[in-house]
Amino acid sequence: WADAFYTQEVLLNGKYGREGIEWKYADEGQLGIDGKPALFQAVTPTSGAQRINWYNSFPMNETNEFRLGWAVTDPEASVEPILYKETQKYEPFKVPDQDVIPPLYFTTEQSNEIANLKATIDGQVREMNARFISGDADLNKEWDAYIKRLDSMNLSRYIEIYQEAYDTMTKK
């Protein structure tokens, strides 16, 4: 039963609605967002109030390949293929998967401590990002003072907690 949640059929019905009414399998020769053969296409829109799909009600195996399999019925009017092609330009700059920090799990004590530290640190980071970007603060002149303020907010402990959680996760 649980395995069914990860099948293409359940994904299509769960996310888009009923086959033949809200969606259908793509016709021969139809292309998807990425220019490869399409998998499915919308028949009627599913936006607005409705009770025909279960989107976000259960786990779904919505891969990138699945999303790109949406049929582009009007290439001249669809922005999706354009956006896809433009984002491909950034592929060489993609962070390797092994360099992405996975979701970390904290103990109750760590969570409480991090919440307190995060409130002040995040506020300072947001403020200074805005000031540096807008030119209200000079990056070259005020950077060292900015780092000192973060240090005074116990940034080292904040990083230490994340490191502890990461080390705990990777030891399993």
Side-chain angles (χ1 to χ4, degrees):
W1 183 75
D3 289 342
F5 285 134
Y6 294 95
T7 64
Q8 182 176 291
E9 178 185 4
V10 170
L11 176 57
L12 284 163
N13 287 314
K15 182 171 173 102
Y16 298 107
R18 300 159 291 187
E19 182 180 358
I21 300 172
E22 285 80 35
W23 70 272
K24 71 174 190 165
Y25 285 103
D27 297 329
E28 186 75 29
Q30 278 188 301
L31 298 179
I33 293 169
D34 60 359
K36 296 178 182 172
L39 171 66
F40 63 96
Q41 72 178 51
V43 175
T44 58
T46 57
S47 61
Q50 43 80 13
R51 297 183 188 277
I52 55 170
N53 65 34
W54 320 304
Y55 191 58
N56 289 334
S57 299
F58 58 87
M60 293 185 176
N61 188 27
E62 189 173 1
T63 63
N64 194 43
E65 291 78 20
F66 177 83
R67 182 184 165 339
L68 296 174
W70 184 296
V72 177
T73 53
D74 185 356
E76 298 299 317
S78 179
V79 71
E80 291 290 341
I82 296 167
L83 291 173
Y84 175 76
K85 286 177 188 167
E86 289 301 311
T87 59
Q88 295 309 296
K89 294 176 183 177
Y90 296 96
E91 195 66 26
F93 307 103
K94 178 182 173 190
V95 175
D97 289 343
Q98 69 268 16
D99 292 347
V100 176
I101 297 173
L104 299 176
Y105 301 95
F106 302 99
T107 65
T108 302
E109 295 78 21
Q110 287 172 326
S111 293
N112 291 335
E113 190 175 359
I114 241 185
N116 290 330
L117 292 168
K118 186 175 176 61
T120 18
I121 291 169
D122 282 2
Q124 178 65 25
V125 168
R126 279 192 304 273
E127 176 188 342
M128 291 309 294
N129 277 346
R131 292 187 64 209
F132 287 137
I133 290 168
S134 69
D136 183 48
D138 186 313
L139 187 61
N140 294 320
K141 293 178 182 173
E142 297 184 50
W143 182 257
D144 291 338
Y146 169 59
I147 296 301
K148 280 185 180 179
R149 275 193 304 279
L150 290 176
D151 287 341
S152 73
M153 295 174 174
N154 213 354
L155 179 63
S156 60
R157 176 61 185 145
Y158 183 78
I159 293 169
E160 184 180 313
I161 295 168
Y162 270 86
Q163 186 65 55
E164 289 169 2
Y166 181 80
D167 291 344
T168 301
M169 183 196 74
T170 57
K171 287 179 186 174
K172 293 181 179 182

